[in-house]
Amino acid sequence: MMKAVVMNGVGGSEVLEIAEVEVPKPGVGEVLIKVHAAGVNRPDVIQRKGAYPPPPGASPLLGLEVSGEIVELGEGVASHKVGERVCALTPGGGYAEYCVAPAAHVLHVPAGMSMEEAAGVPETFFTVWSNVFDRLGLQSGEKFLVHGGSSGIGTTAIQLAKAFGAEVFTTVGSEEKAQAVRELGADYVINYRSTDFVKEIGNITSKQGVEVILDMVGGDYVEKNWIVAAIEGRICQIATLHGPSENVNFSRLMMKRLTHTGSTLRPRTNEYKGHIAEALHEKVWPLLESARVKVVMDKVFDISDVRAAHDRMEGSSHIGKIILKVA
């Protein structure tokens, strides 16, 4: 048996409890990880509220990324060994003392990185790489806009886009957050509470716009993104925190020949996620190990304080990653 966070129904953070559950067994192509730390992500909050059920066969427990030590190999696993310090993208189950993950989604902890930092790598780096670089094809010299620049996704996207030669624009909600993302390399930081980002980006780019946009907001931002996008710009929607968009002017999409796509990572195939892991190992791990790119840490909570961790995530005052320490 092991300790894990379980949901006593759906709703606010009060439904989260610590309980004893069975230790999972690794299946074919999987590994069992003794968890040191787990990342807290927005999808965890949405699942807790009952709006983001785990895919078929996945653990019902929360937690999409962990760091820890491999303690058991499933049948057919030759790419890893028992005792290896790793971080992993998981289909669920990370808020626990032990967690199963597909071996192809497991990567060694980058040299020089703490286990708490490593727990904050998989979900955001897999998401940013698969959407910004794989799906939207961001190129050196292009202008890139990410909304929510101080979030885990935002801080990761800013650094990776900058590292690969893009000119980076971002929106944030406070001066404290603005200063934090400037230190990460953002070229243009717009406080959306005090400045109209559509007008500001138009002024900065002489109304030429930005080539690539990563958006987590949705709602009224959909049409605003179409306005600030360059001709033949590419936009990817990975969340809709402002809800669905209504009454958008599709003529903007047509006249600019825009591509507006979207994706969610969790339901993608293990094979696809494995390809992303390979790309990260080749192209991003050297940046992490040389400290050219880092995991921006907001706060580490003990797993017993999981409710407070979720409250902080929902309050949106965090800058970077929120982590649960399990071991």
Side-chain angles (χ1 to χ4, degrees), residues 8-226:
N8 182 20
V10 297
S13 62
E14 69 277 0
V15 305
L16 301 177
E17 299 177 350
I18 304 294
E20 294 278 333
V21 302
E22 289 189 8
V23 175
K25 291 291 185 182
V28 175
E30 296 179 332
V31 301
L32 179 65
I33 298 170
K34 183 177 182 181
V35 178
H36 182 101
V40 176
N41 293 284
R42 187 73 62 174
D44 301 338
V45 173
I46 300 172
Q47 181 176 337
R48 190 201 71 216
K49 292 180 175 180
Y52 192 43
S59 170
L61 301 178
L62 299 175
L64 300 175
E65 58 182 348
V66 299
S67 66
E69 178 182 326
I70 295 177
V71 294
E72 187 177 346
L73 304 177
E75 181 183 343
V77 175
S79 55
H80 297 284
K81 60 185 179 180
V82 171
E84 186 179 349
R85 285 162 43 95
V86 297
C87 58
L89 184 74
T90 75
Y95 290 14
E97 291 182 308
Y98 293 88
C99 179
V100 164
H105 307 171
V106 176
L107 293 158
H108 71 269
V109 172
M113 184 174 286
S114 73
M115 294 295 272
E116 287 80 12
E117 290 171 319
V121 171
E123 175 68 13
T124 53
F125 279 78
F126 272 73
T127 297
V128 170
W129 188 267
S130 63
N131 289 294
V132 176
F133 295 92
D134 191 36
R135 196 170 186 82
L136 296 181
L138 180 66
Q139 300 294 312
S140 178
E142 290 190 313
K143 296 178 178 65
F144 169 68
L145 167 64
V146 56
H147 293 295
S150 62
S151 66
I153 293 289
T155 55
T156 300
I158 288 167
Q159 293 181 87
L160 288 181
K162 193 68 178 175
F164 286 95
E167 188 174 16
V168 179
F169 295 67
T170 190
T171 60
V172 296
S174 72
E175 287 309 310
E176 178 189 10
K177 292 179 177 181
Q179 181 57 34
V181 298
R182 286 190 190 100
E183 292 173 1
L184 295 176
D187 297 287
Y188 300 100
V189 182
I190 303 163
N191 185 336
Y192 63 82
R193 298 187 189 277
S194 59
T195 304
D196 180 346
F197 78 81
V198 173
K199 183 177 180 180
E200 185 69 7
I201 292 175
N203 290 337
I204 294 169
T205 66
S206 300
K207 299 191 183 303
Q208 296 304 299
V210 297
E211 285 86 5
V212 176
I213 301 173
L214 182 66
D215 184 34
M216 298 163 272
V217 182
D220 61 336
Y221 271 43
V222 170
E223 189 157 6
K224 291 178 179 181
N225 288 333
W226 292 359

Side-chain angles (χ1 to χ4, degrees), residues 245-261:
S245 179
E246 298 178 356
N247 301 320
V248 294
N249 182 357
F250 275 90
S251 66
R252 299 187 193 280
L253 190 77
M254 296 157 55
M255 295 301 292
K256 287 187 171 183
R257 303 185 297 280
L258 302 178
T259 299
H260 193 151
T261 184

Side-chain angles (χ1 to χ4, degrees), residues 288-321:
L288 289 168
E289 295 186 331
S290 65
R292 288 183 59 197
V293 171
K294 64 180 181 179
V295 178
V296 178
M297 299 288 283
D298 178 76
K299 191 171 182 179
V300 177
F301 292 84
D302 188 84
I303 193 170
S304 61
D305 294 325
V306 62
R307 294 178 181 177
H310 269 234
D311 289 342
R312 183 158 182 82
M313 171 64 74
E314 285 195 270
S316 296
S317 61
H318 60 291
I319 298 175
K321 295 292 297 189

